[in-house]
Amino acid sequence: MSVKFITIEGIDGCGKSTQSLRIAEWLEERTGCKTVRTFEPGGWPDGKTLRDFILDSKSYSAMSELLLFLADRSEHVNRVILPSLRQGFNVICERYNESTLAYQSGGHKLNFSQVKRIIRACNFPEPDIKIFLDIPPEIAVERIKSRGNKSDKFEEEGLPLLKHVSETYRRIADDEPERFIRVPCGELNEDEVCAEILSRLEAVT
Ligand code: TYD
């Protein structure tokens, strides 16, 4: 199986960025192919304006929030992900469709099947592998607090939101076991999580 497009998912504070960097380095060495690291929302040229608007403003509806994330993804797919894949590069992306399903349905209470249908209608390219860092929400909340950064509007909702989002991620991963690498991170340190991901990726790359 040729794995070119990988997404990395999980609740806030799960350690996506750290692992994405390590996976990108490993993948580049293993495949000899440039690996583009990217993220959502806002991972495209000029994407910061839309990212800041989505994450700072509290005044729009849940449906508008969903559509804003999809607009962001449309630009990201067309300007970064597809051009990179067409050039033969690997792409590793922090957050993608599963974030939308987990946060906008699980977290912000839109209907799960409706959100799924709307995402599917967008026809975004499907990742080869989706990594899910499954961390207990209680641990994630502590990590977010200890970072001391200004919280975005999702982080401000804290534990209740993360619990719903986490349950929805599990449901999504259970529905599609063949594409998901799910790593229960509760007891594991950063190196152990990385070793687990790489050994599972090794089996499919
Ligand atoms: P992220 O950039 O991962 O946060 P951080 O600043 O910690 O790196 O994501 C920002 C927030 O956006 C996060 O709380 C999850 C949320 N989000 C959604 O609700 N739906 C989506 O489709 C995406 C991509 C992100």
Side-chain angles (χ1 to χ4, degrees):
M1 177 177 176
S2 154
V3 172
K4 300 297 286 182
F5 181 22
I6 297 175
T7 54
I8 180 154
E9 294 280 359
I11 58 176
D12 297 85
C14 70
K16 291 182 309 303
S17 303
T18 315
Q19 296 301 336
S20 126
L21 178 61
R22 297 181 67 167
I23 296 165
E25 285 169 357
W26 178 86
L27 205 58
E28 200 152 286
E29 203 174 64
R30 182 170 172 88
T31 62
C33 245
K34 179 176 160 171
T35 299
V36 174
R37 269 184 80 211
T38 186
F39 62 93
E40 295 191 357
W44 43 281
D46 301 329
K48 188 174 178 329
T49 310
L50 184 52
R51 176 183 168 96
D52 290 346
F53 177 76
I54 299 175
L55 298 183
D56 292 344
S57 170
K58 293 186 179 132
S59 57
Y60 50 75
S61 68
M63 182 54 79
S64 296
E65 180 180 286
L66 165 67
L67 297 174
L68 285 166
F69 277 115
L70 295 177
D72 175 76
R73 183 157 310 131
S74 177
E75 292 310 307
H76 188 218
V77 161
N78 286 302
R79 297 188 197 205
V80 177
I81 296 178
L82 283 178
S84 304
L85 292 171
R86 285 192 190 118
Q87 284 180 82
F89 303 153
N90 307 307
V91 174
I92 174 147
C93 180
E94 294 172 43
R95 301 200 177 283
Y96 196 61
N97 286 334
E98 281 61 32
S99 283
T100 311
L101 198 48
Y103 278 80
Q104 275 59 63
S105 83
H108 283 173
K109 296 284 165 253
L110 292 175
N111 177 276
F112 183 87
S113 306
Q114 185 191 20
V115 174
K116 209 170 175 176
R117 275 199 305 276
I118 294 172
I119 294 173
R120 197 174 295 140
C122 294
N123 232 352
F124 297 130
E126 187 62 15
D128 301 304
I129 293 289
K130 305 170 185 181
I131 297 167
F132 168 33
L133 302 180
D134 188 3
I135 183 178
E138 293 76 9
I139 297 182
V141 165
E142 286 311 312
R143 279 198 197 168
I144 295 166
K145 275 193 209 144
S146 70
R147 279 185 204 153
N149 298 342
K150 180 182 169 287
S151 297
D152 64 43
K153 68 170 190 170
F154 294 92
E155 288 165 349
E156 278 172 12
E157 290 186 52
L159 192 56
L161 172 77
L162 293 189
K163 279 186 171 166
H164 286 299
V165 173
S166 178
E167 277 164 24
T168 313
Y169 264 129
R170 290 185 186 147
R171 170 177 176 189
I172 297 167
D174 286 348
D175 281 351
E176 212 186 3
E178 67 289 350
R179 256 189 225 265
F180 266 94
I181 293 179
R182 173 178 172 177
V183 184
C185 309
E187 307 293 317
L188 306 182
N189 65 32
E190 193 182 301
D191 289 341
E192 291 166 334
V193 171
C194 185
E196 175 69 18
I197 296 172
L198 298 187
S199 78
R200 307 263 301 268
L201 273 178
E202 205 158 23
V204 289
T205 51

